Amino acid sequence: MKDKKAFKPCDLVIFGALGDLSRRKLLISLYRLENANLIEPDTRIIGIDRHALEQSEFVEIAHKSLQEFLHEETLNNLKEESVWQRFSARLSYLKIDLTQLDQYKQLKTVTDAKTRVMVNYFAVSPFLFKNICQGLNQSGVLTEESRMVMEKPIGHNLKSSKDINDEVASVFSEKQVFRIDHYLGKETVLNLLALRFANSIFTTNWNHNTIDHIQITVAEEVGIEGRWEYFDKTGQLRDMVQNHLLQILTFIAMEPPVNLEAESIHNEKIKVLKALRPITLSNVEEKTVRGQYTSGYLKGQAVPGYLEEEGANTESTAESFVALRVDIDNWRWAGVPFYLRTGKRLQGKRTEIVVYFKQLPHNIFKDSFRDLPPNKLIIHLQPNEGVEIEILNKIPGIDEHIKLKRTKLDLSFSETFKKSRIFGGYEKLVLEAMRGNPTLFLSREEIEQAWTWIDSIQDAWYHLNAVPKAYPAGTWGPVASVALIARDGRAWEE
Ligand code: BG6
């Protein structure tokens, strides 16, 4: 990792500065970084969009976004004004129609390659990426130090992803490209590296000899939230599994990298992705479940079904839920299935990994349990970040027979690290992009490898032409998802 002092100030250029991503996530994250004194004093933030705005109007929009989307604690600070004054002094605005290449020259007036590194954040739809790359290239503002940041959707299949990556590669070299998966900025996802590679109790037990199977659940309460157009063409497999769930899976399954450098980590993750057993037409029905929510109740409130959401395409067969059995064909994981599930409008927001260890071969505590329950390692990624280990313990007492009880060794992050603030995913990643540290970003090969595996499932579904299974909002998904894991004699973690 780079030396802290070596970071240069940036010209952070946000393309699509008035859009949702910029207002809901980027400006908020930047403000919180400002609040924590983590932005280089000379860094500038330049908003670009197609509307004609005075500088002061953009600053006003930024202020409103902060009021709307900041959490309480930082918002109070906004009222105090000092941090806001520092932050607003960094902001400037330029009107550029991103499809008009000659307009990009204006960037020369607001950037300064001699003293600052240009970090171009593409917070717009990918169909504009080509224009932005060409516009930037022609305008003469880019240097070898310049960077570009983009995030999903990087395509909707392997081909479209390659097209985007090719367009970007025609202007930026791979080391200048920072591809975001916001899950990699989450503290708990990063902690997987520490948990696995800094603790010998896990390093020695992390394989098919001791582990029976692993479950990864990313359950969401939210529905489509006005994103119909995007989601209907995308579905939960491409929206969540291709990126976030596969990223978690690679962190759990990869071999120890030789160090924490980006390349070492990317290489190990790619090996896992290459070892994923393909799901094709011949096994897709046994290994996958697609679901779509119908109306139901969430926390006591009635919520509409997927097809009744505002703006819905009532013929839509996009899935809002996916469950999968994934096999990794390598030495470490032979015979250890990974069960993945993710869905919208599920009973609660919960992202967790549960590692089930193997049952012991012989039970000498039959008075307590006919079959000894396996040990479990439960990693809560969100909310209530923490790690639990489920073990069997003797119940204290002077009974003639030893009686056992399931108990938990419980490490809650908020309790254990009371003084440390848990930074949000975007904060971490925006900061790392400004610092120029590529470790937490995705390589082109990783994304394309993930698409290769996902495309095969998507093709198989297409050929089956099956409609998704219905599940009422506020449940844990279709019954078929219970059957998927029950067929192997296992059950989802409650
Ligand atoms: C996004 C998906 O990438 O992640 C959304 O496009 C999803 O559909 C979101 O709701 C979930 O992120 P988080 O951080 O709330 O788990």
Side-chain angles (χ1 to χ4, degrees), residues 156-349:
H156 56 273
N157 57 17
L158 178 62
K159 175 164 184 327
S160 50
S161 154
K162 279 191 163 166
D163 289 346
I164 293 175
N165 281 323
D166 284 345
E167 274 155 19
V168 170
S170 66
V171 175
F172 295 96
S173 68
E174 180 67 13
K175 72 174 183 13
Q176 294 176 291
V177 180
F178 288 67
R179 297 180 191 83
I180 286 192
D181 180 315
H182 78 276
Y183 269 52
L184 294 197
K186 290 187 194 275
E187 198 58 60
T188 40
V189 176
L190 293 181
N191 190 45
L192 292 174
L193 290 177
L195 202 66
R196 283 200 53 201
F197 304 124
N199 295 291
S200 60
I201 54 163
F202 296 128
T203 47
T204 48
N205 287 318
W206 210 258
N207 56 45
H208 64 95
N209 291 325
T210 28
I211 294 180
D212 177 73
H213 76 281
I214 295 180
Q215 299 183 12
I216 302 175
T217 295
V218 182
E220 302 187 83
E221 280 175 5
V222 291
I224 300 312
E225 320 255 287
R227 296 196 306 155
W228 243 92
E229 219 195 305
Y230 158 76
F231 195 83
D232 190 32
K233 292 192 210 104
T234 310
Q236 194 76 350
L237 182 74
R238 294 193 268 221
D239 184 46
M240 294 293 288
V241 182
Q242 190 272 345
N243 34 75
H244 309 322
L245 275 91
L246 284 186
Q247 282 302 318
I248 297 175
L249 178 113
T250 54
F251 269 69
I252 288 288
M254 71 179 173
E255 295 301 313
V258 286
N259 54 35
L260 289 176
E261 295 295 327
E263 198 184 338
S264 315
I265 295 184
H266 289 163
N267 287 344
E268 297 309 333
K269 283 160 65 187
I270 290 165
K271 283 190 214 157
V272 174
L273 293 168
K274 284 188 173 160
L276 297 181
R277 189 178 304 165
I279 297 180
T280 59
L281 197 51
S282 64
N283 56 8
V284 72
E285 284 182 287
E286 160 206 333
K287 294 198 172 225
T288 72
V289 171
R290 299 172 76 216
Q292 193 183 70
Y293 62 85
T294 54
S295 58
Y297 287 87
L298 208 89
K299 301 204 166 128
Q301 296 283 323
V303 290
Y306 182 74
L307 299 178
E308 298 139 18
E309 295 265 9
E310 211 186 314
N313 159 14
T314 50
E315 310 275 286
S316 175
T317 56
E319 75 286 348
S320 58
F321 175 96
V322 189
L324 303 165
R325 174 187 158 133
V326 181
D327 293 278
I328 303 179
D329 288 327
N330 66 15
W331 197 274
R332 185 185 287 270
W333 296 116
V336 181
F338 285 64
Y339 298 96
L340 274 47
R341 63 176 168 165
T342 177
K344 306 232 182 287
R345 285 282 191 242
L346 297 186
Q347 204 175 88
K349 180 157 176 75

